Amino acid sequence: MTTRINFHKTRFLISAPDIAHLEQHLPQTSVIEIAFAGRSNAGKSSALNALTEQKSLARTSKTPGRTQLINVFAVDEWRRLVDLPGYGFAQVPQAMKLKWQQALAEYLQHRECLGGVVVLMDIRHPLKDMDRQMVEWSVASGLSVLVLLTKADKLTQSARMKTVNEVRNALKELQGEVMVEPFSALKGTGKEKVLSILDNWCHPQWLLDAINAAAPSA
């Protein structure tokens, strides 16, 4: 039986402008990364702070689009959470938006230690073009995907589940592991479900074998 991971111990590790910088400074040997991606106003930083029970692990801003770097957080020596640049909403030059999108695509397609992707969407405005593209990129790369419908407290219970089911149906056509869950950083809605999914992703057999091999002999 595996031990439940304590995400509360997560700490900031490094910021990188692109995957080349990430590859240079963070080797991929025997680690697993879980990426968080979403539009700049999807509540990504708030979700990371809520899931790790830390008020300021990920910076929140009243001006969406300020996060222009790949921010990496260490859960422990074997596991990392990665906050990818927000997309779609920021009032920045088109060239900068294209650069961010290129960094996102490179990371998803070429970061071999990536174990899953959490795509966050405002539950009131899900499945914008870039949201769908992020899910499609991830599935095409053979990655497990959790679509997290944030700000669920903004809707009634019936409206919330209606939207969740609509998004699930819309993504059924994709041939991959795609889960859809409601979430509220403010109210804690869906928190335990999300932590359970992340915990499962963080325990692949190859990583458990590496951890056991590295453990000192009794």
Side-chain angles (χ1 to χ4, degrees):
M1 182 177 179
T2 57
T3 303
R4 181 75 179 260
I5 293 173
N6 184 0
F7 288 95
H8 181 57
K9 293 183 178 181
T10 303
R11 58 182 176 81
F12 174 76
L13 196 59
I14 192 175
S15 291
D18 50 45
I19 191 171
H21 187 92
L22 203 62
E23 298 281 1
Q24 180 181 354
H25 293 275
L26 285 181
Q28 301 189 58
T29 306
S30 298
V31 296
I32 190 167
E33 293 177 351
I34 306 300
F36 285 69
R39 292 173 64 84
S40 301
N41 58 341
K44 187 155 49 71
S45 296
S46 296
L48 278 165
N49 289 340
L51 292 170
T52 59
E53 298 182 8
Q54 299 186 44
K55 292 182 178 180
S56 57
L57 178 71
R59 294 181 179 179
T60 57
S61 172
K62 293 182 179 179
T63 305
R66 287 288 177 83
T67 303
Q68 301 176 19
L69 300 171
I70 300 172
N71 294 307
V72 184
F73 305 93
V75 178
D76 54 33
E77 67 177 299
W78 307 98
R79 303 167 178 94
R80 303 169 185 155
L81 302 181
V82 182
D83 184 8
L84 297 174
Y87 55 79
F89 184 85
Q91 300 300 314
V92 297
Q94 184 66 19
M96 179 64 74
K97 290 184 181 180
L98 292 175
K99 181 180 179 181
W100 291 357
Q101 291 183 19
Q102 181 181 3
L104 291 171
E106 286 181 351
Y107 178 83
L108 293 175
Q109 294 168 3
H110 302 298
R111 189 68 170 169
E112 294 180 0
C113 63
L114 189 55
V117 181
V118 181
V119 181
L120 297 94
M121 309 175 193
D122 187 323
I123 195 168
R124 299 166 296 179
H125 314 287
L127 287 180
K128 300 294 186 183
D129 288 346
M130 191 63 188
D131 295 327
R132 183 180 287 274
Q133 190 170 16
M134 286 296 299
V135 176
E136 291 175 351
W137 277 345
S138 301
V139 170
S141 298
L143 297 165
S144 298
V145 180
L146 169 60
V147 173
L148 208 56
L149 299 179
T150 62
K151 307 180 185 181
D153 55 283
K154 301 292 186 180
L155 298 181
T156 63
Q157 175 69 17
S158 59
R160 181 188 310 165
M161 292 315 300
K162 179 175 182 292
T163 302
V164 169
N165 288 329
E166 287 174 348
V167 174
R168 284 173 177 165
N169 288 333
L171 296 175
K172 274 184 178 179
E173 63 190 46
L174 300 180
Q175 299 300 311
E177 182 186 349
V178 181
M179 294 169 281
V180 181
E181 297 293 339
F183 182 80
S184 169
L186 181 64
K187 301 293 186 179
T189 305
K191 179 179 176 181
E192 286 306 313
K193 176 70 173 180
V194 174
L195 288 174
S196 177
I197 292 170
L198 297 183
D199 191 82
N200 184 56
W201 285 357
C202 285
H203 282 99
Q205 189 58 50
W206 65 263
L207 183 60
L208 297 178
D209 291 342
I211 293 172
N212 290 332
S217 302

